[in-house]
Amino acid sequence: MRPSWDEYYMEMAEVAKKRSTCMRRQVGAVIVKDQRLLASGYNGAPSGINHCSEVGCLREKLGVPSGERHELCRGLHAEQNAIIQAALHGVGIKGSTIYVTHKPCIICTKMMINAGIQKLIYKGDYPDGLSEAMLKEAGITVEKYTEDERS
C-alpha cells in the first residue's frame, strides 16, 4: 500500500534520526511545505565540533535530568538543526509543517514559532508543559502521529 504523506515524512524523520550522535535520545526532524521536503535535521554537535559519542555526554557527567538545562549540552536539537539548515541555504520555511520523532522542548518551540512554522506532527512524547502551552498560544497546529493511516 502507498504511504500517506504523514507516514512518508515521518519515515524521513526516522531516517534523519539515524545520523544522531546523542548518547541519550536520538531525534530526527524534517520541514515540509506544499508536499516538498525543505530541510532536515538530527540532534548532534555543531559542524566541526566533537560529538558526544566521541567525547562523552556532559549532561550525563553532570547528572542533568532529561528535559532540564538544555544549555548544558554540546548538541543542537533536530528541530534547531533543520531550521538552521533552511536558513543556511536560503530556504524559506514560513507556513511549513515540521515532522519530529519526539515532541519539541521549549527552546525548539520558540524557534519554530519565530520561524513561522504552522504545524507540528510528532511521534514520541517529551515532558515539557511550557512548550505545549506556547504551541497552543502561538496557534501552531499540533498532531500526534499515528501509524494507522495509509492512502
Side-chain angles (χ1 to χ4, degrees):
M1 291 182 60
R2 187 175 187 201
S4 69
W5 286 114
D6 285 351
E7 183 178 18
Y8 180 69
Y9 290 121
M10 191 57 77
E11 284 181 21
M12 288 184 174
E14 288 286 348
V15 170
K17 175 174 103 170
K18 293 178 182 181
R19 292 278 307 154
S20 171
T21 57
C22 180
M23 299 170 70
R24 287 180 130 187
R25 179 184 316 233
Q26 290 71 46
V27 180
V30 297
I31 300 174
V32 176
K33 186 173 181 182
D34 299 327
Q35 305 305 344
R36 300 290 179 255
L37 179 69
L38 302 178
S40 66
Y42 54 88
N43 53 334
S47 298
I49 304 296
N50 288 327
H51 291 281
C52 298
S53 58
E54 299 165 324
V55 298
C57 176
L58 177 61
R59 295 173 61 79
E60 286 293 326
K61 289 177 189 171
L62 297 174
V64 178
S66 180
E68 297 179 15
R69 305 291 313 268
H70 299 289
E71 75 279 7
L72 296 176
C73 180
R74 297 181 64 80
L76 292 156
H77 291 183
E79 304 93 323
Q80 294 168 342
N81 269 324
I83 291 167
I84 291 166
Q85 286 303 308
L88 182 67
H89 296 288
V91 177
I93 59 173
K94 185 176 182 179
S96 64
T97 297
I98 188 165
Y99 290 81
V100 190
T101 59
H102 289 81
K103 200 169 194 180
C105 72
I106 185 59
I107 296 170
C108 292
T109 292
K110 291 186 283 187
M111 289 182 70
M112 290 165 39
I113 292 166
N114 276 2
I117 292 173
Q118 290 184 337
K119 186 174 184 179
L120 161 67
I121 299 175
Y122 71 95
K123 192 172 184 180
D125 289 317
Y126 185 77
D128 193 325
L130 183 55
S131 172
E132 289 182 32
M134 287 188 83
L135 286 163
K136 184 175 182 177
E137 184 178 346
I140 293 177
T141 302
V142 177
E143 294 178 9
K144 184 161 185 177
Y145 173 79
T146 59
E147 298 184 41
D148 297 338
E149 299 179 23
R150 284 182 177 249
S151 60

